[in-house]
Amino acid sequence: MKKEPWGIKKLLITLIIIFVIFVIFALIFKGVVGIFRKDKKEEKKPKEQAEKIDTEIYTYSDLENRIKLGATRYQNDNYQGTLESSETWILKYNNLKEAGYMPSKLIDPKDHDECDGYVKFIKTEAKITYIPYIKCGDNYQTSGYDASYLK
């Protein structure tokens, strides 16, 4: 019996077979591991969200900071003033929420109703100041809050 020497043809066929086997094992392993990871993530998410909702207690100061942060983001994206200018703007909570600058509603920690408010944007030359004002029903109102700004 005469043995044929290894040639390019046999080498390529062998490499292709090894590559196909490797790809099949990689896909199977990725699918199996992916299934287990997906199950773990799905199991944890609702629990984590429930714990987050139950344990997160906001203060009125937190709510003021959240509306101030939304106004800061809005101004960073939309303001085009000059360094020399001096101006004052009122940024309403509803406008910030509709424009997507408030990731979540301002919810009163006492009665869970939605609060309302605004942020006063004051620019004096190069200095910018944000002053948040909120009103949460009869439970809380920031000192200096003026409802006429919301009209």
Side-chain angles (χ1 to χ4, degrees):
M1 183 184 268
K2 184 179 174 187
K3 289 186 178 181
E4 292 183 32
W6 275 82
I8 292 281
K9 186 176 179 181
K10 283 188 176 182
L11 179 64
L12 287 176
I13 292 172
T14 305
L15 289 176
I16 290 172
I17 291 171
I18 292 172
F19 180 75
V20 169
I21 292 171
F22 176 76
V23 169
I24 290 171
F25 278 117
L27 291 173
I28 291 171
F29 183 73
K30 182 180 177 185
V32 170
V33 172
I35 289 170
F36 290 124
R37 285 185 184 164
K38 187 175 181 181
D39 289 344
K40 287 180 182 178
K41 286 180 185 176
E42 287 176 2
E43 286 176 13
K44 286 183 181 179
K45 273 188 178 180
K47 289 178 186 176
E48 288 172 0
Q49 289 174 350
E51 290 172 4
K52 188 176 182 181
I53 291 169
D54 293 340
T55 59
E56 275 190 51
I57 298 173
Y58 293 108
T59 64
Y60 294 112
S61 179
D62 293 336
L63 298 178
E64 290 170 344
N65 287 332
R66 285 177 42 207
I67 192 172
K68 180 179 176 180
L69 181 61
T72 304
R73 289 179 186 148
Y74 177 86
Q75 287 302 116
N76 287 339
D77 289 347
N78 297 293
Y79 182 70
Q80 297 177 356
T82 62
L83 288 177
E84 298 82 25
S85 68
S86 293
E87 48 192 298
T88 301
W89 290 21
I90 300 298
L91 301 167
K92 298 176 188 176
Y93 165 66
N94 285 333
N95 294 350
L96 294 170
K97 185 171 64 170
E98 289 172 7
Y101 290 94
M102 295 297 299
S104 60
K105 294 179 180 180
L106 296 178
I107 302 297
D108 188 338
K110 288 188 179 176
D111 63 13
H112 304 290
D113 288 337
E114 188 171 8
C115 301
D116 202 2
Y118 60 90
V119 176
K120 193 181 263 190
F121 166 82
I122 303 170
K123 182 181 175 306
T124 309
E125 295 180 6
K127 182 181 176 190
I128 297 176
T129 307
Y130 299 91
I131 305 171
Y133 297 91
I134 62 169
K135 180 171 179 14
C136 298
D138 294 331
N139 296 324
Y140 177 81
Q141 178 175 311
T142 305
S143 178
Y145 177 88
D146 186 352
S148 68
Y149 286 129
L150 296 176
K151 295 178 183 176

